[in-house]
Amino acid sequence: MAGVQTAVALREKGYRGPITLIGAEPHPPYDRPPLSKALLLGKADSSAFDIDFGALSVDLRLGLDVTGLRPADRELDTAAGPVPYDVLVLATGAEPVALPGTEGVAGVHTLRTLDDAERLRPVLGRRQRIVVVGAGWIGAEFTTAAREAGCAVTVVEAADRPLAGALPAEVAAPMTGWYAESGAELLTHARVAAVEPGVVTLADGRRLPADAVVVGIGARPATGWLAGSGITLGPDGSVTADERLRTSLPGVYAVGDCASFPSARYGERLLVHHWDNALQGPRTVAAQVVGESERVYDPVPYFWSEQFGRFAQYAGHHAAADTLVRRGDPAGAAWSAVWLRDGVLVALLAIGRPRDLAQGRKLIEAGARLAPEAVADPSVPLRKAVR
């Protein structure tokens, strides 16, 4: 998404120079969200972008690994030889974190690429017994699809609740019941000790039958290939871009899942592994390349997740919030959680309340101050809760 959108944005901005888009995968560029939904269930044959790269005069080089960057020569090292550049945009995304001890074990999967989805589709078709490791966003979405396909699913989560790394306990706790409602078994405080073909052994000795194991325990920026290039990386492995998505090297930008950026809005550096970031960032990069240097990148992060018959949407960043306000009953079908900092709206999670999300996102962008008592009344539109 990030690489493709950068090429599109450059042409929209009037850039007329040659553009080369290099990708390690052999497939035409595609959208990722359908991988855990329609494509995984066989309801769609493709999620390729409907973009005519020829008409855009974009040289698409697929199935080509980039192995290194030599900034002094302004060249990339690839399996097909060096590729020169005047301007370079890093959009290498992220790669799944592997479960230790599972390398080479038959039946162990991740879900990040089109090939991953293609390997998992027949597993769902055979209605096999599946163990999912990790109750994060991808684990929940895959479990939803697997249950819809009729698979028996056990989800193993080391923390005490789903989404422990993304949401505070008081917000994520109600989501625990979603798994049981779907017919999946969720095991919390459960750590994997070993994975062998056909069985997952937990640290407490329990053995879970598993025709397949799907690992969803996070992702890291795919930046290992930049070792020795002199480009600055953060402790999380991300390329540390500035407020205009420029890297520490001249003429090199970074965008999407592989890049972190400083947010004046939140007063910290953000690493956002979501679709909307890969859509929005390229517009800033394209503006820099064509000379519109005043454009700064400081979005309100946004993502959505379809799971267990619910549509979850999140906007903002709640890490520094000092007040949490609930809207509606978390045991019900529709509710929201709202985070304030010094009375200012900084983040919002909406479950089945798209109007809350739409209004809340605009209010976050505006730095609006809200009255908590009005926010707590789900019948009051958020825009009318402004002080």
Side-chain angles (χ1 to χ4, degrees):
M1 170 63 100
V4 166
Q5 289 301 323
T6 300
V8 170
L10 282 166
R11 292 302 186 217
E12 289 177 344
K13 286 285 186 183
Y15 180 78
R16 296 187 178 182
I19 298 175
T20 301
L21 185 59
I22 301 175
E25 295 184 63
H27 313 289
Y30 58 88
D31 207 6
R32 294 193 188 278
L35 300 186
S36 62
K37 305 174 183 73
L39 199 140
L40 186 60
L41 289 168
K43 296 179 179 179
D45 294 325
S46 172
S47 65
F49 291 117
D50 185 18
I51 295 173
D52 188 338
F53 292 99
L56 289 175
S57 297
V58 172
D59 179 14
L60 200 57
R61 303 188 65 180
L62 302 176
L64 181 60
D65 280 315
V66 178
T67 56
L69 166 61
R70 288 179 287 108
D73 300 320
R74 292 222 170 191
E75 284 186 341
L76 292 169
D77 291 322
T78 79
V83 175
Y85 68 86
D86 296 310
V87 173
L88 175 64
V89 181
L90 305 177
T92 50
E95 51 200 5
V97 174
L99 184 65
T102 61
E103 184 177 355
V105 178
V108 177
H109 303 263
T110 55
L111 181 53
R112 181 78 184 182
T113 68
L114 178 59
D115 287 339
D116 291 338
E118 292 290 357
R119 283 189 286 266
L120 277 166
R121 186 152 57 175
V123 172
L124 269 59
R126 292 191 293 268
R127 298 185 177 182
Q128 294 187 326
R129 297 169 299 178
I130 301 174
V131 170
V132 176
V133 182
W137 297 113
I138 193 65
E141 291 186 3
F142 175 80
T143 299
T144 299
R147 286 299 301 140
E148 184 176 334
C151 298
V153 183
T154 301
V155 181
V156 177
E157 171 56 52
D160 61 347
R161 62 189 186 278
L163 296 168
L167 297 172
E170 60 268 38
V171 175
M175 300 175 175
T176 300
W178 296 0
Y179 287 80
E181 288 176 16
S182 76
E185 183 179 12
L186 173 63
L187 304 178
T188 56
H189 298 287
R191 293 187 176 275
V192 174
V195 178
E196 305 164 76
V199 64
V200 173
T201 302
L202 302 183
D204 62 8
R206 283 179 289 179
R207 292 170 60 84
L208 309 176
D211 299 305
V213 177
V214 177
V215 178
I217 56 175
R220 293 195 185 103
T223 55
W225 66 280
L226 290 168
S229 68
I231 201 163
T232 302
L233 302 180
D236 53 14
S238 67
V239 178
T240 55
D242 68 7
E243 71 280 0
R244 291 179 172 84
L245 298 179
R246 299 171 298 196
T247 74
S248 59
L249 297 178
V252 181
Y253 299 83
V255 66
D257 291 3
C258 72
S260 62
F261 57 91
S263 171
R265 186 192 314 277
Y266 292 106
E268 62 181 285
R269 178 168 288 274
L270 300 181
L271 174 61
V272 180
H273 282 184
H274 294 299
W275 184 93
D276 192 66
N277 180 50
L279 174 68
Q280 303 292 342
R283 298 168 185 168
T284 296
V285 170
Q288 306 306 310
V289 173
V290 301
E292 297 176 12
S293 59
E294 74 283 355
R295 183 159 184 162
V296 169
Y297 191 62
D298 194 6
V300 173
Y302 166 75
F303 73 91
W304 78 94
S305 176
E306 297 177 65
Q307 53 182 271
F308 307 116
R310 294 167 172 86
F311 189 46
Q313 294 174 283
Y314 179 95
H317 182 64
H318 67 266
D322 53 37
T323 304
L324 170 65
V325 184
R326 297 184 182 277
R327 284 169 63 80
D329 182 1
W335 51 274
S336 296
V338 176
W339 286 272
L340 308 175
R341 183 178 64 209
D342 297 328
V344 175
L345 178 62
V346 294
L348 170 81
L349 172 70
I351 308 297
R353 290 181 65 95
R355 185 174 298 178
D356 278 2
L357 190 286
Q359 294 181 12
R361 193 176 183 183
K362 292 178 181 178
L363 293 171
I364 296 171
E365 289 174 348
R369 189 175 299 275
L370 304 186
E373 60 276 11
V375 172
D377 185 346
S379 68
V380 175
L382 279 178
R383 57 185 173 80
K384 292 189 176 181
V386 177
R387 286 189 185 273

